[in-house]
Amino acid sequence: MNRMRLLTVGAATLTLAVGGGVVAGGMQDAPPQDATPAVDPVAEEIRRQLNEEVAPAADPAPSNPIAIVPPAPSIETAAVDDAVTADEDEEGATDEEEEGESEEEKAERLAAESPTPRQRRRVAIVEAIDKITAESMRFEVEVGGRPVRFNQSLIFTARACEVSADNEPVADSIAYLEVTLQPRGSVRAEPRQIFRGWMFASTPALSGLQHPIYDAWVVGCKE
């Protein structure tokens, strides 16, 4: 009896096992289905709460735009008035001083304000350089005297040499020079003037002779 029951149970178990294997194998061979998103209860609850929230009430927009006018800037005139008053007082004081001074004092004051004539000198001091050989020399040229030759080629002639007056803001020496190019020994070559004008000792780079080969400028004036 027990043997028959065991055989029956074993046969039933074997039948179920074989049937499940067939079902599983049949599902794997079936065509795939479309995936669907899994349900997330937490996300669903948050989405439900957001949908239930109501937007706060606000005032409706005006039908016509509202014009905004900026306030007019305030101009402070106190400082300007004080400056004008100070200028007027200064001018009035100057007029009173001029009215109270004598003719001699007025003449001396005007003479002190006007520049005095420049003092003329007899000799101009010139410096020249040969940019090819680097030969440089400082020499004297007599005003209205004999011309001076530099480096066998340049001939300097001085027409005037002055020094600035004592009441001028810049102390300077000014010379009117003529520079001629004529190489020595070239009898047939005509002299060619390459510079004529005023040279200022304070600005040699602006007023001096600028030549492809030679540079020259005035250094000073002497008696």
Side-chain angles (χ1 to χ4, degrees):
M1 185 68 179
N2 292 334
R3 185 175 182 182
M4 291 296 296
R5 182 178 296 177
L6 292 175
L7 290 174
T8 303
V9 173
T13 302
L14 180 60
T15 302
L16 292 176
V18 174
V22 173
V23 173
M27 293 181 64
Q28 289 179 358
D29 295 336
Q33 62 178 358
D34 296 334
T36 57
V39 179
D40 188 356
V42 178
E44 290 294 334
E45 182 65 19
I46 295 175
R47 190 178 298 108
R48 184 186 61 80
Q49 293 179 2
L50 291 177
N51 293 332
E52 291 179 355
E53 292 183 358
V54 181
D59 298 334
S63 57
N64 296 324
I66 301 175
I68 300 176
V69 180
S74 59
I75 301 175
E76 298 181 0
T77 59
V80 179
D81 295 340
D82 294 342
V84 173
T85 304
D87 294 340
E88 293 177 353
D89 295 341
E90 185 176 355
E91 291 178 359
T94 304
D95 295 339
E96 292 178 358
E97 291 178 358
E98 292 181 356
E99 291 177 358
E101 66 181 358
S102 62
E103 294 295 334
E104 296 179 357
E105 294 175 352
K106 185 176 182 180
E108 293 178 357
R109 179 174 58 82
L110 294 177
E113 293 177 356
S114 60
T116 58
R118 293 176 177 173
Q119 300 179 8
R120 292 192 171 240
R121 296 291 186 263
R122 188 177 57 87
V123 178
I125 304 175
V126 181
E127 187 167 350
I129 183 173
D130 186 336
K131 292 186 285 188
I132 296 178
T133 62
E135 178 185 358
S136 63
M137 182 184 298
R138 180 174 295 187
F139 50 90
E140 298 180 357
V141 183
E142 185 178 358
V143 176
R146 185 176 179 180
V148 178
R149 182 186 296 270
F150 167 74
N151 198 21
Q152 309 296 324
S153 299
L154 292 184
I155 301 174
F156 291 83
T157 304
R159 301 299 182 184
C161 196
E162 302 175 349
V163 294
S164 57
D166 296 336
N167 58 352
E168 290 189 32
V170 178
D172 202 356
S173 297
I174 308 100
Y176 190 90
L177 300 177
E178 295 177 357
V179 185
T180 305
L181 180 62
Q182 185 182 22
R184 183 189 294 273
S186 300
V187 181
R188 297 180 181 179
E190 294 293 333
R192 182 166 59 91
Q193 190 176 77
I194 59 176
F195 181 87
R196 182 177 64 181
W198 292 96
M199 290 187 181
F200 296 82
S202 60
T203 56
L206 299 178
S207 60
L209 167 65
Q210 296 182 359
H211 186 266
I213 301 177
Y214 303 101
D215 281 350
W217 58 95
V218 65
V219 178
C221 302
K222 61 177 288 188
E223 290 289 350

